[in-house]
Amino acid sequence: MKIVDARVIVTCPGRNFVTLKIVTEDGVHGLGDATLNGRELAVASYLTDHVAPLLIGRDARRIEDIWQFLYKGAYWRRGPVTMSAIAAVDTALWDIKGKVANLPVYQLLGGASREAVRVYCHANGTDVDQAVKAVAHHLDLGYTAIRVQSGIPGLHSTYGVAKGDRPYEPAEKGGVSEHRWSTEAYLTFIPRLFERIRAEFGDEIDLLHDVHHRLTPIEAARAGRSLEPYHLFWMEDPTPAEQQDAFRLIRQHTVTPIAVGEVFNAIFDCQQLIQEQLIDYVRTTVVHAGGISHLRKIAALAELYQVRTGSHGATDLSPVCMAAALHFDLSVHNFGIQEHMPHNAETDVVFPHEYSYRDGFMHPGDAPGLGVDIDEALAAQYPYDPAYLPVNRKLDGTMHSW
Ligand code: GCO
Ligand code: MG
């Protein structure tokens, strides 16, 4: 089953997406997401200029061999650009394998380990009152696990909170915007936010929060301890994770569960975090961590140490990634939860899909393969439109993690 075509489709139905389409000699095609938010064309070029020519003539059935060929064969290993490109190939080949077998991909991964995939949503507010309204709204939509982010008094803009009425979208058009950050303002405010949310909604719902890599380990320990009365489902990315042993310090001081990994791209990024049980949830996802094949290896390692999965699912991961993530989530034993940040209506039309949401759960559907496609004619009507993630500076102007 030779590969006869591999091409990249870049489209911007409200935000940019990079999609790899692989076609076999039998006319079967598979899709893979290759979107790297704010750096999209680097992956598009990696695929078009360097990977696609190597795929032509290869046997599409040999997913693991092609993965190893691209990983070991490049000599230069890992990194978000390389691993997103490999992920796209891997995802597209699983899609093809499912279509040829006439089975949904989750059946090829061992079958369903659960009836459906529990998801968490985002409730964002410019202040605490707005956050309360957003939580109420999402409870009405059936979610039972809700990430809460709020504007911080004294700070002009905050991660996760939209300006105006439009849904929150991390990448912004028209250049790089600069946010200002105060750790002290944040650390003082954050327990008050969750005190209010618990007072309004009680103890039953699961609450999550994303720190977005902004604290030092000891500050993260303080945040985690101050949030203990509100028993979060998780505190996400409390500190940058390049230094995995930094999480030991956080663990010594707090029992608030920790989720990390949306920026990781290989098992080595979380090896120590998992083996020392320094985290509770690993947030690696299909597109940025080497595809379904590599994500399964991460999950298998995590399973040994009672670490569960909690894959990233922001809008900058395309519906192709969402579909692949749901097949993975449904099948893997140590699944924890899946992030769900719905795409806009234009995106849903460009990428017709079988997956669905109901009452706090999602399901990938039972179509052969991933159950997602791309309307190429429609995609062509939305040309690439550069957008950047913001940067963050402390109040005195020093660059800080965003
Ligand atoms: C999340 C993430 C996102 C990222 C975005 C960057 O938890 O969903 O932190 O909001 O900031 O995916 O491209
Ligand atoms: Mg995050």
Side-chain angles (χ1 to χ4, degrees):
M1 193 193 295
K2 286 203 172 91
I3 295 171
V4 293
D5 193 21
R7 64 176 188 281
V8 172
I9 303 155
V10 181
T11 181
C12 185
R15 67 157 352 282
N16 293 307
F17 295 111
V18 179
T19 308
L20 176 69
K21 180 168 185 171
I22 295 180
V23 185
T24 71
E25 59 187 339
D26 320 280
V28 181
H29 76 267
L31 298 181
D33 183 21
T35 310
L36 187 61
N37 205 8
R39 297 292 186 269
E40 298 87 2
L41 299 185
V43 190
S45 162
Y46 192 104
L47 282 166
T48 304
D49 299 325
H50 306 292
V51 172
L54 301 176
L55 294 176
I56 308 304
R58 266 171 219 287
D59 184 346
R61 294 171 296 193
R62 299 183 63 182
I63 301 177
E64 181 67 19
D65 183 67
I66 290 178
W67 196 100
Q68 300 293 344
F69 172 80
L70 293 175
Y71 183 81
K72 295 190 162 68
Y75 184 62
W76 312 106
R77 295 187 182 196
R78 302 161 60 186
V81 175
T82 299
M83 296 305 281
S84 300
I86 294 177
V89 175
D90 182 83
T91 308
L93 295 179
W94 277 106
D95 192 18
I96 289 171
K97 197 174 272 301
K99 287 177 178 171
V100 171
N102 201 28
L103 288 170
V105 166
Y106 76 83
Q107 292 291 7
L108 305 177
L109 304 178
S113 286
R114 54 197 53 79
E115 286 157 24
V117 173
R118 189 175 186 219
V119 294
Y120 74 89
C121 63
H122 292 192
N124 310 321
T126 46
D127 58 23
V128 177
D129 287 336
Q130 295 302 321
V132 167
K133 279 192 187 146
V135 171
H137 171 65
H138 285 90
L139 285 171
D140 285 346
L141 296 175
Y143 292 97
T144 58
I146 302 183
R147 187 188 93 161
V148 187
Q149 308 290 137
S150 164
I152 298 164
L155 295 184
H156 182 62
S157 48
T158 312
Y159 161 75
V161 179
K163 296 190 194 93
D165 288 343
R166 305 189 58 181
Y168 173 69
E169 169 54 52
E172 295 172 12
K173 305 208 164 136
V176 179
S177 72
E178 301 211 348
H179 293 180
R180 290 285 164 148
W181 174 253
S182 161
T183 297
E184 196 50 46
Y186 172 78
L187 286 173
T188 307
F189 169 72
I190 209 67
R192 292 181 191 153
L193 169 66
F194 282 93
E195 181 183 25
R196 172 79 185 279
I197 300 292
R198 281 287 178 220
E200 295 277 346
F201 300 102
D203 281 324
E204 289 300 308
I205 55 170
D206 282 321
L207 297 174
L208 300 83
H209 178 69
D210 192 348
V211 183
H212 223 253
H213 326 265
R214 288 167 183 211
L215 302 176
T216 65
I218 198 67
E219 291 163 354
R222 174 177 155 195
R225 189 180 277 185
S226 73
L227 290 168
E228 281 173 14
Y230 316 112
H231 50 94
L232 265 53
F233 185 93
W234 78 35
M235 167 173 78
E236 177 179 333
D237 288 333
T239 195
E242 285 97 331
Q243 192 192 353
Q244 296 181 42
D245 53 15
F247 282 73
R248 286 185 191 143
L249 187 69
I250 308 175
R251 280 298 216 209
Q252 280 162 20
H253 294 286
T254 180
V255 294
T256 294
I258 298 172
V260 174
E262 66 183 41
V263 302
F264 293 169
N265 46 70
I267 197 165
F268 307 104
D269 297 327
C270 46
Q271 187 179 8
Q272 184 181 7
L273 289 173
I274 290 171
Q275 288 179 323
E276 289 191 31
Q277 297 181 309
L278 301 177
I279 58 172
D280 302 281
Y281 297 89
V282 60
R283 279 180 47 73
T284 42
T285 194
V286 173
V287 53
H288 299 135
I292 293 171
S293 300
H294 196 64
L295 212 59
R296 291 180 82 207
K297 293 179 186 181
I298 295 174
L301 176 68
E303 186 181 345
L304 299 180
Y305 298 94
Q306 300 190 54
V307 173
R308 283 173 282 177
T309 68
S311 288
H312 189 201
T315 40
D316 46 295
L317 285 56
S318 91
V320 178
C321 178
M322 192 66 199
L326 291 170
H327 286 277
F328 167 81
D329 296 336
L330 195 64
S331 63
V332 74
H333 169 68
N334 54 324
F335 166 76
I337 202 162
Q338 167 70 49
E339 182 177 15
H340 180 217
M341 192 179 169
H343 290 107
N344 66 15
E346 293 91 330
T347 300
D348 282 339
V349 180
V350 169
F351 294 94
H353 51 261
E354 295 292 322
Y355 63 75
S356 57
Y357 167 83
R358 206 179 72 187
D359 292 339
F361 288 84
M362 292 182 78
H363 194 282
D366 279 298
L370 294 174
V372 63
D373 214 336
I374 185 165
D375 181 334
E376 288 194 64
L378 194 55
Q381 291 176 26
Y382 298 106
Y384 180 68
D385 191 3
Y388 288 97
L389 293 170
V391 297
N392 209 19
R393 291 184 187 275
K394 293 191 206 175
L395 297 181
D396 70 356
T398 308
M399 277 296 299
H400 194 63
S401 301
W402 174 69

